[in-house]
Amino acid sequence: APLVAPSNVLASADVGAIDVSWSFPDVSGTTFHVTSTPAGKSCVVVGRSRCSISVTDVTPWRFSVRAQRGSSHSAPSSLTNVVPTHFVIVLSGQSNAEGARSYAVDPLTHINYFDAPYASGADSADQLTWLAWPKPEMSAPPSSDPVPLNTPQLLSGVGIFGTEIGLARQLYNDIHETLTVIKATYPGTALAHEWRPSAHGGLFEQMCDFVRSTMSNDAAHGQLDVLQSFIWFQGESDALLHNAHYQRQLVQLISAVRHRLALDRVAPIVIAKESILQRELYEQSHHGCAKDNCARAIEGNTIIRGADVWASNHLSHVIVVDSAGLARTQSSKFMHLSNVGELQLGATIARRLEAL
């Protein structure tokens, strides 16, 4: 007798994948062929009524299932539902990625950068979640779910923001793209130490766990998160450490990001190139380098920036956006970007991503 077609075929969101499930009278010894519409995705399982298909784009995939036993084939099942998809960008690094001196309400000018004319539709359309880590000065998000983009991130009770605001607003204004930003930043940390991918329980591992947890939570609510890009804004600490091995460590980090986060091989990794030159020039002119070995720090700065450029020249789908010359705060001896600088950097990154 001909085989009946599988029934109750459903598609559901998972972390970086779509799960397809179905019903069949007797799965034992039966091979099931799952194919997509449009073509391009498939899987084959034997004796099971479920398979997982990796997805790294927002194509509205639908699936059908065909049963096979020996030379007998069933007709294809009806097509599944389309799983809602959503772009995600991960932002990671140290204090400039966090926005340590980028105040939502500027203490000098009293401009609120979350109000008109700076606000955009992204502020309510986009989502944000951040990993506060066990830092008493940084508040945790008010919910385990992502919150609106313009939800204040409180640092010692003061609202701040990082590169994510300028990035999301520019993408929304230019191409009306909505997304979720997953932000995992920790001030004063080095790739040579805290961010090493091989460090068990280190910041890299915690960041990956947080990203997967966020995506898993969204999947439980029926949304498939698609990682669009990873942004790395770090290196000031390694410059001060004069880390001569930064290039090798950066290559390891980029490889680990693609592997651990299942980031598509053509998804862009953006390096926001750090610069401590303005800070060291300030130290020279105001303190005579009493606190810093300015010459060594400047040389370290050159090493880190050179490693960033090397990565963009030699690794596929890695781009660099320079933070040098952007507005910084005198209160941080010109180490940290101001709110204006963060908005400029985010907008520049957005335009580079759009061009891709």
Side-chain angles (χ1 to χ4, degrees):
L3 296 177
V4 299
S7 59
N8 300 321
V9 185
L10 298 173
S12 58
D14 200 352
V15 177
I18 292 177
D19 277 344
V20 181
S21 62
W22 55 90
S23 298
F24 194 75
D26 182 10
V27 300
S28 178
T30 305
T31 300
F32 297 95
H33 302 264
V34 182
T35 55
S36 66
T37 300
K41 298 288 183 182
S42 64
C43 69
V44 178
V45 296
V46 179
R48 292 191 293 138
S49 57
R50 178 181 300 270
C51 74
S52 181
I53 299 175
S54 175
V55 174
T56 57
D57 57 40
V58 292
T59 300
W61 299 108
R62 302 179 74 189
F63 300 89
S64 65
V65 185
R66 182 169 52 88
Q68 175 188 359
R69 188 178 294 149
S71 59
S72 298
H73 295 261
S74 75
S77 71
S78 57
L79 289 169
T80 67
N81 53 298
V82 173
V83 175
T85 55
H86 191 68
F87 275 136
V88 169
I89 290 180
V90 177
L91 170 64
S92 203
Q94 55 181 115
S95 53
N96 268 317
E98 181 178 64
R101 294 295 185 273
S102 173
Y103 300 110
V105 179
D106 194 289
L108 298 178
T109 65
H110 307 295
I111 293 173
N112 185 342
Y113 286 94
F114 284 175
D115 279 350
Y118 305 97
S120 84
D123 290 20
S124 56
D126 288 356
Q127 299 286 299
L128 170 69
T129 187
W130 64 92
L131 182 54
W133 267 302
K135 300 177 294 184
E137 68 273 18
M138 185 70 180
S139 68
S143 166
S144 59
D145 297 326
V147 294
L149 181 73
N150 62 356
T151 302
Q153 301 166 61
L154 298 180
L155 183 65
S156 300
V158 178
I160 64 167
F161 64 88
T163 311
E164 71 282 350
I165 300 296
L167 166 76
R169 286 174 176 173
Q170 194 71 42
L171 287 173
Y172 188 89
N173 293 344
D174 291 347
I175 57 177
H176 211 69
E177 181 174 299
T178 59
L179 53 87
T180 296
V181 178
I182 302 177
K183 184 173 175 179
T185 60
Y186 205 124
T189 51
L191 180 54
H193 301 306
E194 295 90 351
W195 283 102
R196 288 183 298 114
S198 60
H200 179 67
L203 298 188
F204 181 85
E205 186 174 284
Q206 293 179 53
M207 179 270 292
C208 290
D209 288 346
F210 180 59
V211 172
R212 284 192 294 267
S213 174
T214 301
M215 295 175 70
S216 178
N217 184 55
D218 288 345
H221 288 80
Q223 175 180 292
L224 172 65
D225 287 339
V226 175
L227 286 181
Q228 185 187 47
S229 180
F230 177 83
I231 301 171
W232 177 247
F233 192 2
Q234 191 276 338
E236 296 91 344
S237 292
D238 289 270
L240 293 172
L241 290 170
H242 201 276
N243 179 8
H245 304 292
Y246 192 85
Q247 179 177 300
R248 173 175 54 81
Q249 294 162 356
L250 182 61
V251 171
Q252 292 171 345
L253 176 87
I254 290 170
S255 175
V257 163
R258 292 212 185 271
H259 175 68
R260 298 280 291 278
L261 295 182
L263 185 67
D264 190 85
R265 62 182 181 82
V266 300
I269 290 179
V270 181
I271 300 173
K273 188 161 57 170
E274 61 75 38
S275 177
I276 63 168
L277 181 59
Q278 195 173 353
R279 172 234 166 94
E280 295 311 310
L281 294 177
Y282 177 89
E283 285 292 324
Q284 283 182 342
S285 61
H286 288 76
H287 303 109
C289 297
K291 295 182 179 179
D292 284 4
N293 182 336
C294 295
R296 182 173 173 80
I298 291 172
E299 185 179 356
N301 189 61
T302 301
I303 291 172
I304 304 309
R305 290 171 59 81
D308 293 341
V309 172
W310 186 95
S312 69
N313 288 338
H314 292 84
L315 302 179
S316 298
H317 307 290
V318 174
I319 60 176
V320 168
V321 175
D322 202 345
S323 72
L326 296 178
R328 296 176 187 265
T329 63
Q330 185 170 353
S331 63
S332 69
K333 301 177 183 178
F334 301 101
M335 172 67 88
H336 294 122
L337 294 181
S338 70
N339 35 36
V340 173
E342 292 282 6
L343 291 172
Q344 291 172 331
L345 179 64
T348 301
I349 292 173
R351 287 190 287 266
R352 291 294 304 277
L353 290 176
E354 291 166 14
L356 298 174

